Amino acid sequence: MYPASNLTAPHPMTTPDGNPSISDWSLTPHKTHLNHGSYGSVPRAAQEVQLQLKARMDANPCTWFMGQYSAVAKARAQVAGFLGVDAGHTALVLNASAGISAVYNSLDFEHGAEIVTTSHAYGAVLHGAHRIARKHGGRVRIADVPLDADAETVCALVLAEVSSRTALIVVDQITSATARAFPVEAIARAAAPLGIPVLVDGAHAPGIVESPVPDFEGFWVGNLHKFACAPRGTAALVCSGDRAAGLVPLIDSWGFPYRFPENFDHVGTQDVTSWMAAHASFDTIEERYGWGTFRSYAGGLCDYGASIIGDAFTAHTGEDHSVEVGMPVGPLRLLRLPKGLATTHEDSHSVRELISERWDFETAVTTFAGEGFLRLSAHLYNSPSDYEAFAEKAVPGLVELARST
């Protein structure tokens, strides 16, 4: 029924349909997981390492917490190695939002300061920008970037919002709702002569991008629990240059005599065993599959999935459901949903829940500029049959739902 995908499993241990061994993960078997990009999936090997660490913590909390800061420093070095950056420029945080909030709270904004971002900004990041701007009597300026804008256009639109009051530019490396890349290094180069710091939201970049941290003196934050598959609650804040000295963690603790990044190593009684187990995820995927193999396989798989599901929608609606984004990226693809579905952020959650409950597919449904989209993402445990099943089971129901609304 479907054209051959020309995809071969990246590891000899496969399921009967050619899928890489699902036993490496512990996902719910009766659900088809097509949304790795939101919450990731932790390999069993890393789960076991974290459980062992938790057992040690609970067996003797006094010894554990008195020495936890040194264990965090070791984990920080391991994460920095995976990212390809200097451990002295790297701090560990709970998630990208926590790292971004730390940057917002650490910068010395003047009254009336403005923050520039784009229409693709992640909601939590945008809310934080508004909060800090209001605190200082300023505002957020939003560059309206079309989905199909190329790198040069994106850069020009962002810089057009810059003024003498601009205190910070916040830009996505890979956007969440619209599954596209932004030219973060070009924007940083243009902002540098103006003396404007740039904060890169690289939440999706680790694992997708071989060297995810841009070469610039600014702030970069990335999640390790998404495509890098680390235990949840693991993210990195990277900063080099003079501004690093002013960075402080969200919670004051015993790291106060130290400067970045050592001041972030002291986290009190937080359970950060996820940070210490992260290396097991990186190593497991590298040893069993290879990160380059993952990027090649998952990118090709998303191309196939987008084609199969897009064609299925078109067969029912007679409309083109493909989406041309200006800078497509790795294992993330966007498809236009039938008209009338997920036109608001709230509605997108309802459609996602319906897909999960009625057809047993875990997906990401997003909204941008009043249109609803299906965002596909893939990892090593996915196979062509996952997307073929969605085209057969979920697409007809979604089209019918749209017609009834």
Side-chain angles (χ1 to χ4, degrees):
M1 179 177 179
Y2 296 104
S5 66
N6 295 320
L7 291 166
T8 57
H11 191 274
M13 286 187 65
T14 62
T15 59
D17 66 352
N19 197 12
S21 179
I22 198 69
S23 64
D24 284 342
W25 283 268
S26 55
L27 293 162
T28 306
H30 75 274
K31 295 280 187 181
T32 301
H33 295 264
L34 304 180
N35 183 24
H36 186 93
S38 286
Y39 304 107
S41 180
V42 185
R44 290 182 186 273
Q47 295 177 39
E48 292 168 1
V49 170
Q50 187 178 12
L51 286 173
Q52 293 169 7
L53 291 166
K54 284 178 177 287
R56 286 173 52 194
M57 176 177 65
D58 291 331
N60 192 338
C62 290
T63 298
W64 177 270
F65 286 109
M66 291 299 291
Q68 182 172 253
Y69 70 93
S70 60
V72 170
K74 179 180 178 180
R76 173 162 57 84
Q78 292 167 335
V79 167
F82 175 74
L83 296 174
V85 295
D86 190 328
H89 300 157
T90 307
L92 296 181
V93 290
L94 294 177
N95 53 35
S97 295
I100 288 169
S101 294
V103 174
Y104 285 160
N105 292 344
S106 297
L107 290 177
D108 187 16
F109 291 98
E110 296 182 355
H111 181 75
E114 295 180 349
I115 298 174
V116 171
T117 187
T118 78
S119 53
H120 299 248
Y122 187 64
V125 174
L126 183 59
H127 290 321
H130 281 296
R131 174 188 64 82
I132 205 72
R134 286 195 300 268
K135 178 180 178 181
H136 296 281
R139 66 169 180 148
V140 176
R141 296 172 66 107
I142 298 177
D144 188 9
V145 178
L147 271 173
D148 60 355
D150 60 16
E152 184 177 354
T153 301
V154 172
C155 195
L157 289 171
V158 169
L159 294 175
E161 296 299 326
V162 170
S163 73
S164 60
R165 291 183 176 271
T166 303
L168 179 67
I169 296 173
V170 183
V171 62
D172 294 80
Q173 189 172 13
I174 298 171
T175 62
S176 178
T178 51
R180 59 157 295 158
F182 273 173
V184 293
E185 289 187 342
I187 293 170
R189 285 195 300 269
L194 304 175
I196 301 172
V198 173
L199 168 57
V200 174
D201 179 359
H204 289 273
I208 290 182
V209 182
E210 183 175 0
S211 299
V213 183
D215 183 16
F216 77 119
E217 289 193 356
F219 309 101
W220 177 92
V221 178
N223 280 324
L224 281 303
H225 74 262
K226 291 180 181 287
F227 290 95
C229 295
R232 292 164 198 87
T234 308
L237 166 59
V238 179
C239 181
S240 60
D242 295 339
R243 292 188 176 91
L247 284 171
V248 293
L250 290 176
I251 300 173
D252 292 322
S253 189
W254 291 101
F256 71 89
Y258 306 100
R259 302 179 80 178
F260 180 85
E262 285 81 6
N263 55 347
F264 281 73
D265 290 348
H266 297 258
V267 294
T269 54
Q270 290 183 62
D271 179 356
V272 291
T273 52
S274 59
W275 300 356
M276 302 169 198
H279 72 92
S281 292
F282 310 152
D283 295 346
T284 295
I285 291 175
E286 176 59 35
E287 292 167 5
R288 288 184 58 76
Y289 306 97
W291 281 101
T293 299
F294 152 67
R295 285 186 279 271
S296 175
Y297 175 76
L301 186 56
C302 264
D303 282 338
Y304 177 75
S307 174
I308 290 298
I309 296 173
D311 287 348
F313 274 127
T314 298
H316 286 276
T317 68
E319 300 171 359
D320 185 5
H321 289 262
S322 64
V323 180
E324 294 296 327
V325 300
M327 298 173 66
V329 59
L332 286 164
R333 294 293 181 274
L334 210 62
L335 286 168
R336 188 169 281 105
L337 285 170
K339 292 178 182 177
L341 291 185
T343 57
T344 67
H345 183 68
E346 294 74 17
D347 288 345
S348 69
H349 288 300
S350 298
V351 174
R352 183 202 62 78
E353 291 171 3
L354 177 70
I355 293 171
S356 175
E357 294 171 3
R358 186 173 296 180
W359 299 296
D360 290 330
F361 292 95
E362 295 297 350
T363 60
V365 176
T366 67
T367 302
F368 181 75
E371 280 193 281
F373 298 91
L374 177 70
R375 192 197 72 187
L376 301 178
S377 56
H379 217 281
L380 290 161
Y381 52 80
N382 291 121
S383 69
S385 62
D386 293 340
Y387 302 89
E388 293 164 1
F390 187 94
E392 289 182 357
K393 298 176 182 178
V395 165
L398 287 170
V399 172
E400 185 62 30
L401 177 64
R403 287 171 177 166
S404 66
T405 57

